[in-house]
Amino acid sequence: MKLGGRLCCVCNQRRAALKRPKTLEQICRECFYAVFEEEIHQVILENKLFKPGERIAIGASGGKDSTVLAYVLSELNRRHNYGLDLFLLSVDEGITGYRDDSLETVKRNELQYGLPLKIVSYKDLYGWTMDEIVKMIGLKNNCTFCGVFRRQALDRGAALLKVDKVATGHNADDIAETVLLNILRGDIARLSRCTSIITGEDGPIPRCKPFKYTYEKEIVMYAYFKKLDYFSTECIYSPNAYRGFAREFIKDLERIRPRAILDIIKSGEDFRIATSTKMPEQGTCERCGYISSQKWCKACVLLEGLNRGLPKLGIGRNQGLNSDAKKDIKKDDRTKSIESKQCGSLEF
């Protein structure tokens, strides 16, 4: 946002070039870069996100969040001597005209930032692409498949890279949306952990969110002013995703009161779950060995449905399979196909 002849409120020397969406301060580009990067550095220090010598995979989609994260982490790693080995980790869901194009951006980022890149694909891991899944399931529930498969694919890619943590580009807007979604869905288990800046510490590979308190608008402005190379097209299969409605609500709140995003995150952090509430117990999937609160993880249930021509088998709250379905599985020779897939071939 251009701001006439006003001076930057930080340095009082250069002309203000933008108004920060987060604080409404009128600030010049140079000071914006400095405060943006310093805020992220302080979040990393205060939350002890990294330790010297760790191998860190940056979840890279080619979009603005992950591209800025890769750029800023590379800069901070050099500037403050974090001592990290950084890698780019991408998931190819198999979406023609979307992911294939965005992966070209990630490949350019690999050269621009000098970070090694690893790409894992749904086709190799599960035997299906999202294009194939959408042909079978349609547009209504495809995000369920993609979300479940992507989370597990990131862990599998991280295991191949032998990293200590995965850093994702989830920003303040994303986390505020997730708080609202979990309230709307009554998902107590996820509500209790969705604001955690580090998750999965009891799982195979922890994940952290350096952008937890960083506004999406400021990430966009940073990428624009820095002229970073990123892919900006939305997924062609997610125009009616449930999250989109929460996103619009957050945007409306932000227009009225910019602080609302941080306030929602703070509310999520301060929620106390009643001790009488029964929480799912974490175990491992009997089929692939991945973390799961049921006998079969959600990915294996969904994959079983796809392979048996019953794509709605794992849709909804029922995470596992009922007894009739299990009997059918034992009788159905086609279930052997799941055992030949890459899903579950990695030890966690």
Side-chain angles (χ1 to χ4, degrees):
M1 183 186 295
K2 297 286 183 182
L3 298 171
R6 299 194 181 209
L7 290 178
C8 170
C9 69
V10 176
C11 68
N12 286 315
Q13 295 177 354
R14 292 177 290 266
R15 296 198 181 280
L18 59 109
K19 181 185 287 187
R20 291 192 68 188
K22 186 176 184 178
T23 63
L24 302 182
E25 294 174 313
Q26 297 181 10
I27 192 170
C28 68
R29 290 191 192 189
E30 290 77 6
C31 288
F32 173 60
Y33 300 152
V35 296
F36 181 90
E37 293 164 5
E38 181 60 21
E39 285 177 5
I40 295 164
H41 173 57
Q42 290 303 319
V43 167
I44 290 171
L45 291 184
E46 290 167 10
N47 294 277
K48 299 177 181 173
L49 297 190
F50 309 120
K51 297 175 183 175
E54 283 188 325
R55 293 165 62 90
I56 305 296
I58 300 169
S61 66
K64 63 186 183 316
D65 298 315
S66 62
T67 299
V68 172
L69 180 62
Y71 178 84
V72 170
L73 272 188
S74 297
E75 289 294 308
L76 295 179
N77 191 34
R78 284 191 289 268
R79 186 182 306 162
H80 297 288
N81 299 313
Y82 289 166
L84 305 176
D85 288 328
L86 300 176
F87 301 83
L88 297 177
L89 173 59
S90 293
V91 177
D92 181 2
E93 300 95 338
I95 303 175
T96 305
Y98 169 66
R99 184 55 73 214
D100 48 358
D101 290 340
S102 67
L103 284 176
E104 292 303 313
T105 303
V106 178
K107 291 172 184 176
R108 293 195 298 272
N109 292 158
E110 176 187 16
L111 299 175
Q112 291 159 353
Y113 307 146
L115 301 178
L117 168 64
K118 175 67 179 176
I119 300 174
V120 293
S121 72
Y122 283 9
K123 190 67 174 178
D124 290 340
L125 291 173
Y126 310 116
W128 292 79
T129 67
M130 274 309 297
D131 285 342
E132 294 167 343
I133 292 171
V134 169
K135 281 183 182 178
M136 178 176 282
I137 190 71
L139 289 173
K140 186 175 181 182
N141 293 303
N142 66 86
C143 288
T144 297
F145 286 84
C146 198
V148 170
F149 287 168
R150 190 191 302 111
R151 281 191 292 274
Q152 196 174 112
L154 271 176
D155 279 340
R156 297 188 184 283
L160 290 171
L161 285 171
K162 295 181 170 58
V163 297
D164 299 292
K165 285 191 187 81
V166 175
T168 63
H170 291 96
N171 58 51
D173 301 55
D174 296 327
I175 295 170
E177 289 164 13
T178 304
V179 171
L180 287 181
L181 283 173
N182 288 331
I183 291 172
L184 293 172
R185 290 168 173 160
D187 195 332
I188 302 302
R190 286 193 176 92
L191 182 59
S192 66
R193 64 176 185 264
C194 69
T195 57
S196 300
I197 196 165
I198 300 177
T199 57
E201 291 178 283
D202 53 350
I205 299 170
R207 298 189 189 186
C208 63
K209 308 180 188 79
F211 286 171
K212 177 181 175 180
Y213 302 108
T214 307
Y215 278 31
E216 182 180 52
K217 285 182 179 177
E218 297 206 347
I219 292 171
V220 172
M221 294 167 87
Y222 185 90
Y224 173 76
F225 285 130
K226 283 279 188 178
K227 295 182 170 56
L228 300 185
D229 184 3
Y230 68 94
F231 185 77
S232 58
T233 303
E234 291 290 329
C235 177
I236 58 176
Y237 293 142
S238 65
N240 297 313
Y242 190 38
R243 176 174 287 272
F245 298 102
R247 181 175 297 122
E248 287 303 312
F249 180 61
I250 294 288
K251 295 301 180 192
D252 289 341
L253 287 177
E254 185 186 12
R255 279 190 285 271
I256 299 169
R257 186 167 176 268
R259 179 80 195 177
I261 291 175
L262 294 179
D263 288 341
I264 292 173
I265 294 174
K266 184 67 167 60
S267 297
E269 290 172 337
D270 291 344
F271 277 130
R272 295 291 179 267
I273 309 301
T275 55
S276 59
T277 302
K278 186 177 180 180
M279 302 293 280
E281 295 181 9
Q282 184 170 292
T284 56
C285 173
E286 291 181 354
R287 178 57 67 92
C288 74
Y290 191 71
I291 53 174
S292 175
S293 59
Q294 304 289 333
K295 288 187 177 182
W296 283 21
C297 70
K298 188 71 169 178
C300 281
V301 174
L302 292 173
L303 191 56
E304 183 62 38
L306 289 171
N307 289 331
R308 295 178 60 218
L310 300 170
K312 294 185 179 180
L313 189 66
I315 298 296
R317 286 187 175 273
N318 184 13
Q319 298 268 343
L321 302 173
N322 59 37
S323 58
D324 291 336
K326 288 179 181 176
K327 289 177 184 177
D328 290 343
I329 288 170
K330 291 179 181 178
K331 295 176 183 178
D332 196 340
D333 289 336
R334 285 176 297 175
T335 59
K336 294 179 181 178
S337 64
I338 192 173
E339 295 169 2
S340 66
K341 305 298 180 188
Q342 292 292 328
C343 179
S345 64
L346 298 175
E347 293 297 328
F348 285 92

